Amino acid sequence: MSVKFALLILMDKEPASGYDLAQRFNRGIGQFWQASHQQIYQQLKKMHEQGFVQFTVQKQQGKPDRKVYEITAAGEQDLNEWLAAQEKPPTVRDALLIKIYAASRGDPQRLLNEVQRHIQLHETQLVAHLQEEQQFFSANKTMQRKLRWPYITLRRGIRYEQEWIEWLKEVQICLVDDSLPLKPLRPSL
Amino acid sequence: MSVKFALLILMDKEPASGYDLAQRFNRGIGQFWQASHQQIYQQLKKMHEQGFVQFTVQKQQGKPDRKVYEITAAGEQDLNEWLAAQEKPPTVRDALLIKIYAASRGDPQRLLNEVQRHIQLHETQLVAHLQEEQQFFSANKTMQRKLRWPYITLRRGIRYEQEWIEWLKEVQICLVDDSLPLKPLRPSL
DNA sequence: ATAGCCATGTAACCAGTTACATGATTGA
DNA sequence: TCAATCATGTAACTGGTTACATGGCTAT
């Protein structure tokens, strides 16, 4: 559902083709919502049928034509309604957690490898986020207004990765030392 | 896909009816994978057709019959293969993040309300997790072996909620004070 | 009375994934 | 010559949600 509104937000900032929108999904919004180009084209088609977007065809030589989409008045209204609506926290679905939950079954060594692999994946992502963070600060000493909220959501991404790594390292330790005692995160009642 | 394996894990511990399994999904595994009773019944039916589970009917007076499912040898094998397979980190899809990303559009006050509502939701969840944590420690001073991994995954849930609250409070502050300067999470290169 | 628990399911729908398809240009 | 980028899409499938359906027992 939200792909629709993510697209409307992106093209509201600046009219764009499906291809452009797919690119922009990778940076910024891609951190907390991903969409394949197929899904984007499907969604754009649907929104066009429903009158939320319109497009103009730009001819190019040597390359396929671009359909440059922009939001319509109806689209704006729909977007504003969505922005005003309440959201429920997303449902988490994480297969690795199931495997760790059931760690007493199966081969601990294999799970350890998998956990270490995930630590690396999250560390790579963390580094990428931290590099992106620098770009928000590098240009000028004061951040531009319009970059403020994209940056704040990036901070969430950074913390998210850090928290994953911290916990996965704990899991790693527990897999190595089977009998290490754990203290409750909240020590007293 | 993983609902299937979550069900196999649960019934491997102890044979159970669809109803029981739906209950158990709420505690423990429900924290990182949820399934409605409808989905569970559908999945059980499918797995029975494919020979991964079998059931015996228990008649009850006054209540509908229970189908008590247990895992078959084929099911065990399938489960072991899945446990050995690699997983990719789950794709995050969070509509609230999109709204915060686009916070410069729309009404800041309304977004502030929504952010505060989410802080409360996460705080409620955090308290629930912390209460559950106590149950792991209350009974005996040393934790039982079989509860070790379920507890470790609970720790992840606790940290997850804490991290959310921390970040959402930052967002709250930024919504109130539009020009508060933010320091990078990684200060130096 | 009414709500909640016990216990089962089917049908329709929707969002998102995977596979398939085309075709020119540019750089290694 | 091979891979990558630009640029568009369709079709089939799958996992999960929502709506609908039944019906007795128990506690307030």
Side-chain angles (χ1 to χ4, degrees):
Chain A
M1 180 81 289
S2 307
V3 180
K4 174 180 171 183
F5 299 105
L7 289 170
L8 290 176
I9 287 167
L10 288 174
M11 75 176 70
D12 188 35
K13 273 192 202 157
E14 196 188 330
S17 67
Y19 188 86
D20 295 338
L21 292 164
Q23 300 306 100
R24 282 204 226 161
F25 248 94
N26 298 334
R27 356 201 135 280
I29 284 187
Q31 191 206 315
F32 37 83
W33 205 287
Q34 315 84 51
S36 62
H37 73 98
Q38 290 93 333
Q39 199 189 351
I40 288 169
Y41 286 122
Q42 281 166 9
Q43 196 60 52
L44 287 171
K45 188 185 172 187
K46 202 172 160 190
M47 284 196 283
H48 184 247
E49 283 163 12
Q50 294 171 338
F52 296 126
V53 298
Q54 61 194 51
F55 61 83
T56 49
V57 176
Q58 277 186 2
K59 281 182 184 157
Q60 301 186 117
Q61 55 241 47
K63 289 178 192 173
D65 295 353
R66 285 160 54 86
K67 288 188 191 170
V68 178
Y69 287 88
E70 57 190 315
I71 193 168
T72 62
E76 291 242 10
Q77 203 193 315
D78 207 40
L79 175 55
N80 286 332
E81 275 165 34
W82 179 76
L83 285 169
Q86 293 190 341
E87 292 293 335
K88 48 184 155 186
T91 56
V92 177
R93 280 176 214 277
D94 195 316
L96 183 65
L97 273 283
I98 297 178
K99 292 183 183 183
I100 294 170
Y101 180 86
S104 41
R105 259 191 135 283
D107 179 7
Q109 184 56 48
R110 199 169 252 165
L111 187 56
L112 180 60
N113 290 151
E114 178 69 349
V115 166
Q116 283 168 347
R117 199 175 67 87
H118 278 259
I119 290 173
Q120 275 169 34
L121 292 171
H122 287 293
E123 269 171 355
T124 304
Q125 190 58 63
L126 176 60
V127 168
H129 281 340
L130 288 173
Q131 273 168 1
E132 228 203 301
E133 183 184 47
Q134 282 190 271
Q135 290 172 27
F136 283 96
F137 288 93
S138 63
N140 341 356
K141 55 227 144 190
T142 331
M143 200 187 297
Q144 289 165 271
R145 260 296 154 80
K146 63 172 183 178
L147 294 179
R148 187 171 171 81
W149 289 107
Y151 171 60
I152 290 168
T153 55
L154 177 62
R155 287 171 80 92
R156 156 81 187 149
I158 293 169
R159 290 229 180 85
Y160 176 81
E161 299 301 335
Q162 284 172 338
E163 188 248 303
W164 256 116
I165 292 164
E166 201 185 325
W167 181 74
L168 283 170
K169 284 189 173 167
E170 195 174 278
V171 170
Q172 189 185 222
I173 291 166
C174 289
L175 279 167
V176 172
D177 184 351
D178 197 13
S179 54
L180 184 89
L182 291 163
K183 281 177 195 138
L185 289 173
R186 182 174 65 165
S188 63
L189 180 51
Chain B
M1 181 78 291
S2 306
V3 182
K4 174 180 169 182
F5 298 105
L7 289 170
L8 289 176
I9 287 166
L10 288 174
M11 75 177 69
D12 188 33
K13 272 193 204 155
E14 197 189 329
S17 68
Y19 188 86
D20 294 338
L21 293 164
Q23 300 305 101
R24 284 204 224 161
F25 248 94
N26 297 335
R27 356 201 135 280
I29 284 187
Q31 191 206 319
F32 37 83
W33 205 289
Q34 316 84 50
S36 62
H37 74 97
Q38 290 94 332
Q39 199 190 352
I40 288 169
Y41 286 121
Q42 281 167 9
Q43 197 61 53
L44 287 171
K45 188 185 172 188
K46 204 172 159 189
M47 285 197 282
H48 184 248
E49 282 161 13
Q50 295 171 339
F52 296 127
V53 298
Q54 61 193 52
F55 62 84
T56 49
V57 178
Q58 277 185 1
K59 280 181 184 158
Q60 301 186 116
Q61 54 239 48
K63 292 176 188 172
D65 295 352
R66 286 159 55 84
K67 286 188 190 170
V68 178
Y69 286 87
E70 58 190 315
I71 192 168
T72 63
E76 291 240 10
Q77 204 192 315
D78 207 41
L79 175 55
N80 286 332
E81 275 165 33
W82 180 77
L83 285 169
Q86 293 190 342
E87 292 292 335
K88 46 184 157 188
T91 55
V92 178
R93 282 176 211 277
D94 196 316
L96 182 65
L97 273 284
I98 298 178
K99 292 184 184 182
I100 294 171
Y101 180 86
S104 41
R105 259 191 137 283
D107 179 6
Q109 184 56 49
R110 199 168 251 167
L111 187 56
L112 181 60
N113 291 150
E114 177 70 348
V115 166
Q116 283 167 347
R117 199 175 66 87
H118 278 259
I119 289 172
Q120 274 168 34
L121 291 171
H122 287 292
E123 270 171 354
T124 303
Q125 189 58 63
L126 177 59
V127 167
H129 281 339
L130 287 173
Q131 274 168 359
E132 230 204 297
E133 183 184 47
Q134 281 190 271
Q135 289 171 26
F136 282 97
F137 288 93
S138 64
N140 340 353
K141 55 229 146 190
T142 330
M143 199 186 295
Q144 289 165 272
R145 261 295 155 80
K146 62 172 185 178
L147 294 178
R148 188 170 169 83
W149 289 106
Y151 171 60
I152 290 167
T153 55
L154 177 62
R155 287 170 81 92
R156 157 79 187 152
I158 292 169
R159 290 228 180 84
Y160 176 81
E161 298 301 335
Q162 284 171 338
E163 188 250 302
W164 257 116
I165 292 164
E166 200 185 326
W167 181 75
L168 283 170
K169 285 192 172 165
E170 195 175 277
V171 170
Q172 188 185 224
I173 291 166
C174 289
L175 279 167
V176 172
D177 183 352
D178 197 14
S179 55
L180 183 89
L182 291 163
K183 282 178 193 138
L185 289 174
R186 183 174 67 165
S188 63
L189 180 52

